[in-house]
Amino acid sequence: MASIDRDRRVSEVTGMIDQTRIRAACLIGWPAAHSRSPLIHHYWLRKLDIAGGYTIEAVPPEDLAAFVLNLGGQGFVGANVTIPHKERVLALTAPDERARAVGAANTLWYDGSELRSTNTDVEGFIANLDASAPGWDATETALVLGAGGAARAVLFGLLERGVGRVIVANRTRERADALAEQFGPGVEAVAWEAIGDYLPRTGLLVNTTSLGMRGQPPLDIDVGRLPPQAVVSDLVYVPLETPLQAQASARGLRTADGLGMLLYQAVRGFELWFGRRPEVTTELRALVEADLTRA
Ligand code: NAP
């Protein structure tokens, strides 16, 4: 099991002297990948003058259960969870409705003595749309491309927000069909090849595939077929501006980007662990942008 070095954590993060008051959260993953979460949470801890910490904990699959079940015993008030543990933590915690519907949790917190889990990609996606394209929810039809974990969070958020019709297209058709079956009559699966036919009736286009990511081919669709009031949301955040977003902006369409979602999804975890609701500021965005540009 990963060892917890409380002193290291404290000095790395805030340099606070009164260690008894330190509340710390962590990111549980395997292997320990580079993540922007420490940068985001340390920024908020500093801004809000909270004596807290956030570490990355490399936990191999065979140690996951022991680590999670003793999270509080190790001094942690909660955690983020990333690949490959996001699905397995559901059985080790009490998941909320979002985590259950998405089939994966990315945030753990204590509700009294009970370890709960949720999926904050749902509110990250919605809050970013609200901030980037206010009024987006006037749309009646959303077209979601992709059917992986991120698509599930997007579907849950759109339906919860009251979007009447959500169309899902995925390269592997069966995965889109499975989502339509799981989420019910508000979601319709269509063929990947038919995307172009649906664009003229789409008020919100969401890319949840990895197309457009650095090293991947771009998403090859004609944004010119979208209505002029359409909003385009791309979950990919490396590069910061994907070819899809660049095309949408060039056409004067409003966009919501993947970095915004990444920042907004972190808000709830911080609030659950440290008791204050942090803000997504332009300063924070610039910090993370600089880190992404360096990578
Ligand atoms: P995932 O579960 O692996 O799903 C990947 C999706 O991309 C699948 O629908 C897959 O289709 C599709 N895809 C991959 N290559 C494709 C290709 N060449 N042509 C067409 N479709 C292709 O991944 P995920 O967790 O859902 O994440 C998807 C993307 O969202 C990633 O870029 C991730 O970084 C991003 N994301 C961003 C945030 C954020 O906060 N901004 C949060 C979560 C995820 P098949 O089913 O046919 O394989």
Side-chain angles (χ1 to χ4, degrees):
M1 183 187 300
S3 69
I4 310 299
D5 180 344
R6 198 168 176 79
D7 294 337
R8 168 179 57 79
R9 187 165 70 227
V10 170
S11 59
E12 245 180 26
V13 174
T14 59
M16 292 300 298
I17 295 158
D18 181 0
Q19 294 183 14
T20 58
R21 291 177 55 233
I22 294 287
R23 295 161 70 80
C26 64
L27 172 67
I28 305 170
W30 182 260
H34 182 62
S35 159
R36 275 85 205 179
S37 294
L39 192 59
I40 297 169
H41 292 294
H42 292 171
Y43 170 85
W44 284 330
L45 287 167
R46 275 197 311 276
K47 276 280 153 192
L48 296 169
D49 200 18
I50 293 173
Y54 188 98
T55 58
I56 294 184
E57 301 296 336
V59 181
E62 61 273 22
D63 290 343
L64 181 69
F67 189 93
V68 168
L69 295 174
N70 190 34
L71 195 65
Q74 300 170 80
F76 290 115
V77 292
N80 283 134
V81 182
T82 188
I83 293 166
H85 302 317
K86 288 201 276 190
E87 290 81 18
R88 271 190 63 208
V89 289
L90 293 180
L92 301 169
T93 56
D96 70 0
E97 192 194 352
R98 289 176 178 193
R100 279 201 306 273
V102 175
N106 65 357
T107 302
L108 315 183
W109 84 101
Y110 282 97
D111 183 4
S113 59
E114 185 176 45
L115 186 59
R116 305 288 319 272
S117 60
T118 189
N119 191 305
T120 63
D121 280 343
V122 176
E123 60 227 81
F125 169 68
I126 295 292
N128 184 44
L129 270 176
D130 284 340
S132 308
W136 67 271
D137 51 350
T139 187
E140 281 168 16
T141 305
L143 173 57
V144 176
L145 309 181
R152 285 174 192 275
V154 164
L155 289 186
F156 188 91
L158 292 176
L159 294 178
E160 190 179 57
R161 189 59 174 260
V163 173
R165 184 167 183 241
V166 184
I167 293 162
V168 185
N170 191 51
R171 176 181 61 178
T172 309
R173 171 68 190 256
E174 296 74 32
R175 295 185 79 194
D177 289 337
L179 287 190
E181 189 165 333
Q182 180 194 339
F183 283 91
V187 176
E188 180 190 346
V190 301
W192 181 255
E193 297 71 27
I195 290 171
D197 300 339
Y198 289 89
L199 292 175
R201 285 166 282 158
T202 294
L204 172 67
L205 174 70
V206 188
N207 176 38
T208 79
T209 74
S210 42
L211 290 172
M213 219 161 129
R214 189 177 294 154
Q216 297 279 326
L219 176 63
D220 185 19
I221 62 166
D222 179 7
V223 293
R225 299 188 69 183
L226 286 165
Q229 73 280 10
V231 173
V232 174
S233 165
D234 199 336
L235 270 55
V236 171
Y237 56 88
V238 179
L240 286 166
E241 185 180 53
T242 62
L244 172 68
Q245 281 172 272
Q247 283 162 24
S249 299
R251 197 171 159 242
L253 302 178
R254 292 191 298 164
T255 62
D257 70 5
L259 176 55
M261 173 171 166
L262 182 76
L263 299 176
Y264 279 103
Q265 69 77 29
V267 168
R268 178 131 184 270
F270 188 95
E271 187 179 22
L272 288 165
W273 307 325
F274 301 112
R276 302 267 301 277
R277 191 165 182 83
E279 274 182 42
V280 173
T281 60
T282 48
E283 186 184 39
L284 172 62
R285 196 183 153 94
L287 247 175
V288 181
E289 269 188 20
D291 188 65
L292 284 168
T293 309
R294 270 196 302 274

